[in-house]
């Protein structure tokens, strides 16, 4: 399973549910923390520049009619019901200004151990989620099973280690130091 942005969030969330058929995911430009590292809040402060436009776009997306070819002749009734029950996401987000049960189900950082599938995480310095890959490296055990194979696939030397001198250990120490 793989995805970019929301598809990457979703890949992580599905992996945390541990479906037995899921062996590996690739998550690109996504986050492990929907509360503190998404379009809603940073450090508890609302991100109005991102929150309002994204909430408005979601409202518009959700107002579109369903495709009659996919849902049948009841499409108009379904659409009307969708319009009547529409929710402005910003209102919901603003009523959850602190990390609470609303954010936890979408935030795999709450329990990295729930993810047993191999995770190949991709991000970049100009990505909106620059810290997520580092947190995933710190929170997940990258050297078990398929994760080791994924690391070998990108390590030209073919050697993967996680001792005190390895790049992975240095990254983990740096991430932990930033948290303190």
């Amino acid at each position: 399973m793989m995805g970019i942005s929301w598809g990457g969030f979703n890949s992580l969330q599905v992996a945390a549910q541990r479906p037995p058929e899921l062996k590996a995911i690739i998550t690109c430009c996504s986050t492990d923390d929907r509360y503190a590292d998404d379009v809603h809040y940073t450090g508890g402060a609302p991100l109005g520049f991102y929150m309002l436009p994204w909430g408005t776009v979601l409202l518009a997306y959700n107002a579109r009619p369903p495709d009659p070819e996919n849902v049948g002749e009841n499409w108009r009734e379904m659409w009307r019901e969708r319009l009547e029950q529409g929710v402005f996401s910003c209102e919901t987000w603003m009523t959850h200004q602190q990390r609470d049960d609303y954010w936890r189900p979408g935030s795999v950082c709450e329990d990295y151990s729930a993810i047993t599938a191999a995770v190949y995480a991709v991000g970049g310095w100009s990505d909106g989620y620059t810290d997520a890959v580092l947190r995933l490296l710190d929170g997940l055990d990258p050297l078990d099973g398929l994760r080791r194979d994924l690391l070998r696939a990108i390590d030209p030397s073919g050697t993967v280690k996680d001792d005190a001198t390895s790049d992975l250990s240095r990254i983990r120490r740096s991430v932990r130091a930033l948290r303190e």
Side-chain angles (χ1 to χ4, degrees):
M1 181 174 190
M2 71 164 294
I4 299 171
S5 191
W6 175 248
F9 293 28
N10 191 251
S11 295
L12 288 166
Q13 293 161 3
V14 169
Q17 298 300 311
R18 295 184 178 173
E21 301 81 9
L22 186 65
K23 303 301 181 197
I25 67 165
I26 301 173
T27 181
C28 305
C29 307
S30 68
T31 188
D32 58 337
D33 191 343
R34 295 272 329 284
Y35 172 72
D37 190 28
D38 198 1
V39 300
H40 315 100
Y41 297 94
T42 294
L47 293 174
F49 179 77
Y50 292 111
M51 186 187 294
L52 184 58
W54 185 236
T56 305
V57 165
L58 285 177
L59 186 64
Y61 286 168
N62 292 332
R64 296 178 297 185
D67 185 342
E69 288 187 28
N70 291 323
V71 299
E73 294 181 17
N74 291 336
W75 72 269
R76 193 176 308 272
E77 292 80 22
M78 293 173 73
W79 186 25
R80 187 171 293 119
E81 184 177 319
R82 182 186 302 172
L83 292 172
E84 290 169 359
Q85 295 179 2
V87 175
F88 184 45
S89 297
C90 290
E91 184 178 357
T92 303
W93 299 333
M94 291 301 290
T95 61
H96 296 278
Q97 293 189 19
Q98 301 204 5
R99 183 181 298 278
D100 62 16
D101 289 336
Y102 175 79
W103 302 106
R104 286 187 184 101
S107 300
V108 299
C109 66
E110 297 288 330
D111 182 13
Y112 290 114
S113 68
I115 298 175
T116 56
V119 176
Y120 185 78
V122 179
W125 294 123
S126 62
D127 176 11
Y129 307 107
T130 56
D131 300 341
V133 172
L134 297 174
R135 286 193 308 269
L136 287 166
L137 277 172
D138 186 45
L140 296 171
D141 179 6
L143 298 179
D144 70 339
L146 288 172
R147 289 190 192 107
R148 179 184 299 275
D149 294 337
L150 287 171
L151 285 173
R152 279 196 183 119
I154 62 167
D155 182 353
S157 71
T159 60
V160 177
K161 60 182 179 176
D162 188 16
D163 61 25
T165 63
S166 73
D167 288 340
L168 182 58
S169 290
R170 285 195 298 272
I171 290 169
R172 284 182 166 162
R173 285 193 303 272
S174 296
V175 170
R176 289 177 185 146
L178 286 173
R179 288 183 181 164
E180 295 173 357

